[in-house]
Amino acid sequence: MAGKREEKKDLARVAAEKRAAFGADINMDDYSPETAAHPYQDDLSAFSQAEQDQMLMAGVDFSAKNRSGTFVQKDLSVVHSRSTQEGMEIMDIEEALKQYDWLHEYWWQAVPVDMDKYTSRAELHQEHGYFIRSMAGAKSVYPLQACLYLEQDNLAQDVHNIIIAEEGSELHIITGCATAPHVTQGLHVGISEFYIKKGAKLTFTMIHNWADKVAVRPRSATIVEEGGLFLSNYVCMQPVGTLQMYPVAYLVGEGATARYNSILVAPPGSEIDVGSRVLLKARGTRAEIVSRAITTGGKIIARGHINGLVPEIKAHLECKGLILSDEGVIHAIPELEGHKQEVDLSHEAAVGKIAQEELEYLMARGLSEDEATATIVRGFLHVDIEGLPPELKAEMDKAVEMSEKSLL
Amino acid sequence: MARKSSQQNGRLLVIDDLKVEVKGKEILRHVDLAIDKGETHALFGPNGSGKTTLLMAIMGFPAYQVTGGKIVFKGQDITALPLNERAEMGIGLSFQRPPTIRGVKTRQMLEIFDKGEAEIKSMAKGLDFEEFLDRDLNDGFSGGEIKRSELLQLTAQDPDFLLLDEPESGVDLENIALIGKVIEELLQRELKPQEGKSRKELKRERWKSGLIITHTGYILDYVDVDRGHVLMEGELACSGNPREILKTIKEQGYEECVNCCRI
Ligand SMILES: Nc1ncnc2c1ncn2[C@@H]1O[C@H](COP(=O)(O)OP(=O)(O)OP(=O)(O)O)[C@@H](O)[C@H]1O
Ligand SMILES: [Mg+2]
């Protein structure tokens, strides 16, 4: 195993200066690689009110009543990690690697370690991250939650997460990323590798609550086996400096399904380049990518790429953008790629301002222009997500609603 | 001065020498129309004569630009008032082709008017619309469903003055009865006999008013209206008994009807 890890490190060293395909090039030397360690908190209520408030905006429930497990990493220290349901594991990835030798087989199996300088950095400077696994046949009663928190200003946080839904299991995860109120800048590099085994179902709802000048470079990939379902919901409605990610799902087993849903809001100063990509590699696979982007002055590039490699597959891409300020930019880049005759791929993209007709319709019912605008924007952001359990939909709506207040 | 007397007469709406342009093209001219409190009028006229334009101008859609004359409602000149303020003053309109609003449910439109769960349920039941409450507003609604959705929203809004654009068009026979009944109620057209009160007295107690566009007149079988008008090429060419006007139009056409009026 040690030899294998060394191989990965060698590959990472070679890619240390490799620029990413998309997004501004970040000078990673600008960020501090070290900070003081934080103590482990057995009790979630020991977190300060300010921390709780920030994490709450990212979907973290501190009562943990409606959660089957919780993981919190503050800066470079794992400060809380506990599962409360049989069959659900949640722990520090370092612990997991020590405990399970086989886990090394999953390390950089979905995401290439030499993809770019960020994956390279994650391998060479990695400090923790989480491991979440649902055992074969187990079903999470409540979602598990994980939070990655930046407490130290100007810190570089490099984490590596592995999530495994074993055969026939059902796993629901909410992850939030947040910064302390005093943090204005920092770097977050997060590797997430998802493995969904035969007939398993994984829903992953990620809410980002960064700060003005934070640079964010997640790198994630998912491998879905036969009959598996991967449902990813991503919400980023708070300011962020620069955020670029292009997660990919490989549907390798027959009948596997992936759905990506993203809600993006860019206030002035935010640069967001987010896409989702699905490779349909087995018969009967399905994919859907939906994104909703709003700019109130920032820049959003909304990408999407569906690649149908075998016959009898079906996929749809939907990309909608609302421009609420002339200072803002939305650039939608939907891509469809078919390699066989019997692929059924479609897309729908629309970018523009709020339709006058819709505004007037609501105003004729007595809503003021501002109220009508708010109603339409809210509707735009509230996407019905097929397959998402109602409790998770409620969590997501809650996160969206909290952010709407600052948006409107 | 004029304003005062109109109020005394129980005038709800007074349109005075109205001129309306759409995209720089004059559609309506010299339109004079008065509707009293408690009265409902019918508006007839050939396709393209400007009926919808008149309703849209009264409601206050910016694309329907008033270039002359004025609209007075409840004694106040509303010609320059924005849409939502006219709605707040008590004007309500049913749309012919309402836009789909994604993510907004029909139920939310009823909640705007502070309707609670029970009330929403019973209103929706009355229009056989319960199964659509949680669908995106107007998303894929059929012609008849749109009519019912619009009436449902108007029921919740409960305006004093209703503008209805061909409420029966595209509606099947069973639903016409349903829609007719709701409109009758909204406009207080039904005269329930009451001890010691004459029909005239009952009529005087009404405060809801309306203006209904109709080609077929089917809606008049359910909703008794007080007066009819014919709009021809952007001008009000004739006013009178609605049933007689409809009869003349049906038997002899619009031209003849207008000639008849001139005599
Ligand atoms: N938005 C618009 N853009 C261009 N022309 C318009 C617009 N709205 C109305 N018009 C024109 O104004 C005229 C009157 O239209 P309007 O819709 O008021 O007629 P109508 O009497 O309601 O007809 P119908 O019986 O067919 O509904 C028509 O010639 C129409 O083409
Ligand atoms: Mg019309």
Side-chain angles (χ1 to χ4, degrees):
Chain A
M1 284 307 162
K4 259 201 171 155
R5 186 78 196 260
E6 259 328 296
E7 271 173 37
K8 297 288 182 199
K9 289 215 184 288
D10 285 343
L11 285 170
R13 275 183 211 106
V14 174
E17 302 292 326
K18 187 175 168 187
R19 279 189 69 148
F22 305 112
D25 192 43
I26 294 167
N27 183 4
M28 298 189 289
D29 298 334
D30 290 349
Y31 303 91
S32 149
E34 279 163 42
T35 185
H38 300 288
Y40 190 86
Q41 306 273 18
D42 210 32
D43 183 3
L44 276 177
S45 60
F47 287 91
S48 76
Q49 195 56 48
E51 286 169 344
Q52 296 196 20
D53 289 346
Q54 288 297 104
M55 291 192 223
L56 184 69
M57 288 284 282
V60 181
D61 177 357
F62 273 82
S63 77
K65 265 206 307 267
N66 300 316
R67 298 289 186 263
S68 288
T70 300
F71 171 95
V72 182
Q73 174 166 347
K74 202 197 266 190
D75 294 335
L76 310 178
S77 316
V78 174
V79 294
H80 184 91
S81 173
R82 170 182 294 161
S83 161
T84 52
Q85 192 193 328
E86 187 88 25
M88 298 292 142
E89 287 186 303
I90 185 163
M91 62 175 105
D92 179 356
I93 189 82
E94 309 287 359
E95 284 299 315
L97 284 166
K98 271 184 221 146
Q99 199 170 321
Y100 300 124
D101 226 17
W102 51 260
L103 188 54
H104 292 273
E105 299 296 328
Y106 292 82
W107 195 254
W108 296 115
Q109 278 313 298
V111 177
V113 64
D114 56 355
M115 187 168 138
D116 54 33
K117 62 199 257 189
Y118 308 107
T119 55
S120 161
R121 181 185 174 95
E123 175 58 15
L124 300 173
H125 297 271
Q126 178 240 339
E127 294 278 354
H128 305 284
Y130 54 81
F131 169 69
I132 298 179
R133 178 162 75 133
S134 53
M135 302 301 198
K139 290 188 165 41
S140 60
V141 178
Y142 297 111
L144 286 89
Q145 60 182 358
C147 181
L148 300 164
Y149 191 73
L150 280 175
E151 160 81 23
Q152 173 68 46
D153 199 37
N154 206 39
L155 182 73
Q157 187 185 53
D158 309 287
V159 300
H160 193 141
N161 313 310
I162 291 182
I163 299 94
I164 302 173
E166 298 284 5
E167 271 192 31
S169 67
E170 198 176 309
L171 178 58
H172 302 287
I173 300 173
I174 294 181
T175 77
C177 291
T179 52
H182 60 263
V183 167
T184 60
Q185 50 195 353
L187 169 68
H188 171 89
V189 175
I191 310 301
S192 298
E193 300 187 277
F194 300 85
Y195 300 92
I196 299 170
K197 302 298 179 68
K198 202 170 152 183
K201 174 178 177 179
L202 170 64
T203 77
F204 186 78
T205 300
M206 179 153 85
I207 299 163
H208 276 176
N209 179 17
W210 300 108
D212 280 357
K213 293 196 199 72
V214 175
V216 184
R217 291 292 181 269
R219 296 290 178 257
S220 55
T222 307
I223 296 173
V224 191
E225 294 180 7
E226 192 183 324
L229 169 70
F230 176 55
L231 213 131
S232 159
N233 296 303
Y234 177 62
V235 179
C236 182
M237 295 178 65
Q238 297 295 324
V240 61
T242 158
L243 160 68
Q244 187 274 318
M245 65 177 190
Y246 208 163
V248 53
Y250 303 93
L251 305 182
V252 300
E254 267 185 42
T257 302
R259 266 191 221 117
Y260 280 100
N261 185 66
S262 318
I263 292 176
L264 310 167
V265 175
S270 289
E271 279 206 17
I272 298 177
D273 182 335
V274 168
S276 310
R277 174 177 278 151
V278 181
L279 277 78
L280 298 97
K281 303 174 88 165
R283 280 173 195 262
T285 51
R286 299 271 175 278
E288 187 179 49
I289 297 172
V290 174
S291 74
R292 294 280 186 274
I294 292 184
T295 172
T296 58
K299 179 172 181 182
I300 298 179
I301 300 177
R303 299 177 196 273
H305 181 200
I306 286 172
N307 193 350
L309 296 149
V310 296
E312 291 164 41
I313 53 111
K314 190 176 163 71
H316 182 70
L317 203 164
E318 180 184 303
C319 190
K320 293 205 172 137
L322 206 49
I323 300 174
L324 298 182
S325 154
D326 284 337
E327 309 304 312
V329 179
I330 295 179
H331 184 172
I333 311 177
E335 289 184 67
L336 301 180
E337 189 177 334
H339 292 263
K340 290 287 179 293
Q341 290 179 45
E342 278 149 77
V343 297
D344 179 355
L345 310 177
S346 56
H347 87 74
E348 193 185 337
V351 172
K353 63 169 187 171
I354 289 181
Q356 191 62 23
E357 202 194 358
E358 295 179 26
L359 267 184
E360 288 173 4
Y361 183 68
L362 297 178
M363 288 174 71
R365 301 278 186 246
L367 297 187
S368 69
E369 190 166 350
D370 286 348
E371 288 165 339
T373 303
T375 304
I376 293 166
V377 168
R378 227 171 268 140
F380 180 83
L381 294 173
H382 284 234
V383 187
D384 287 326
I385 302 155
E386 199 192 321
L388 189 69
E391 312 82 65
L392 283 172
K393 170 73 178 144
E395 291 286 347
M396 202 170 125
D397 286 348
K398 207 166 74 191
V400 170
E401 268 152 33
M402 276 193 277
S403 299
E404 271 166 8
K405 291 195 189 98
S406 54
L407 171 66
L408 298 165
Chain B
M1 196 50 207
R3 189 170 138 169
K4 208 163 201 165
S5 72
S6 71
Q7 256 178 330
Q8 278 158 359
N9 291 343
R11 289 270 190 263
L12 181 76
L13 177 82
V14 180
I15 292 176
D16 181 19
D17 197 17
L18 195 71
K19 249 207 287 202
V20 176
E21 272 183 16
V22 179
K23 289 183 182 155
K25 183 179 147 201
E26 189 177 276
I27 309 289
L28 297 179
R29 67 199 72 85
H30 310 308
V31 174
D32 292 306
L33 177 71
I35 298 178
D36 285 356
K37 189 171 145 186
E39 275 184 1
T40 293
H41 293 200
L43 186 59
F44 306 99
N47 293 139
S49 56
K51 303 181 296 299
T52 297
T53 302
L54 179 59
L55 260 56
M56 300 303 259
I58 296 172
M59 189 71 235
F61 288 89
Y64 297 80
Q65 221 191 338
V66 174
T67 49
K70 63 179 178 184
I71 304 170
V72 176
F73 183 70
K74 293 185 177 173
Q76 189 187 333
D77 186 341
I78 60 165
T79 319
L81 229 50
L83 261 177
N84 57 312
E85 289 181 31
R86 298 189 200 196
E88 265 169 30
M89 283 182 73
I91 306 180
L93 172 132
S94 81
F95 284 64
Q96 263 193 306
R97 278 178 293 274
T100 298
I101 305 188
R102 297 268 167 210
V104 176
K105 311 294 174 200
T106 310
R107 176 189 298 281
Q108 280 170 260
M109 295 304 291
L110 308 180
E111 286 165 355
I112 289 175
F113 305 105
D114 292 325
K115 300 298 169 194
E117 183 58 36
E119 218 176 336
I120 288 175
K121 249 201 178 133
S122 87
M123 282 192 301
K125 207 180 159 89
L127 276 157
D128 195 15
F129 209 72
E130 294 142 293
E131 58 177 303
F132 300 95
L133 284 178
D134 293 304
R135 227 160 80 179
D136 282 0
L137 193 56
N138 304 321
D139 182 20
F141 286 5
S142 75
E145 286 157 8
I146 285 176
K147 304 281 176 197
R148 270 140 65 206
S149 156
E150 288 296 303
L151 275 182
L152 180 61
Q153 292 175 55
L154 284 176
T155 306
Q157 187 179 351
D158 197 21
D160 294 334
F161 182 51
L162 267 90
L163 298 164
L164 303 172
D165 198 341
E166 300 184 35
E168 79 275 53
S169 78
V171 179
D172 67 42
L173 290 175
E174 252 173 61
N175 276 306
I176 286 193
L178 192 92
I179 280 175
K181 180 101 194 75
V182 173
I183 295 176
E184 187 185 32
E185 267 171 41
L186 278 174
L187 288 169
Q188 302 170 323
R189 300 316 290 176
E190 198 187 18
L191 291 178
K192 287 197 192 105
Q194 238 176 296
E195 192 125 6
K197 275 187 186 163
S198 66
R199 282 178 67 82
K200 212 169 173 180
E201 279 173 307
L202 286 173
K203 278 190 180 177
R204 227 181 284 139
E205 283 175 7
R206 289 172 173 160
W207 68 88
K208 295 295 174 74
S209 309
L211 182 58
I212 307 177
I213 297 177
T214 177
H215 283 293
T216 62
Y218 291 154
I219 194 70
L220 306 186
D221 295 343
Y222 302 91
V223 182
D224 145 63
V225 303
D226 304 294
R227 249 176 109 68
H229 310 271
V230 183
L231 198 57
M232 293 284 285
E233 290 169 10
E235 292 184 48
L236 272 187
C238 171
S239 297
N241 180 305
R243 268 159 299 275
E244 277 169 27
I245 290 178
L246 186 64
K247 190 161 176 272
T248 316
I249 294 171
K250 276 189 175 162
E251 287 168 3
Q252 302 171 49
Y254 290 105
E255 286 297 337
E256 201 46 45
C257 170
V258 170
N259 285 339
C260 192
C261 256
R262 287 205 180 105
I263 300 164

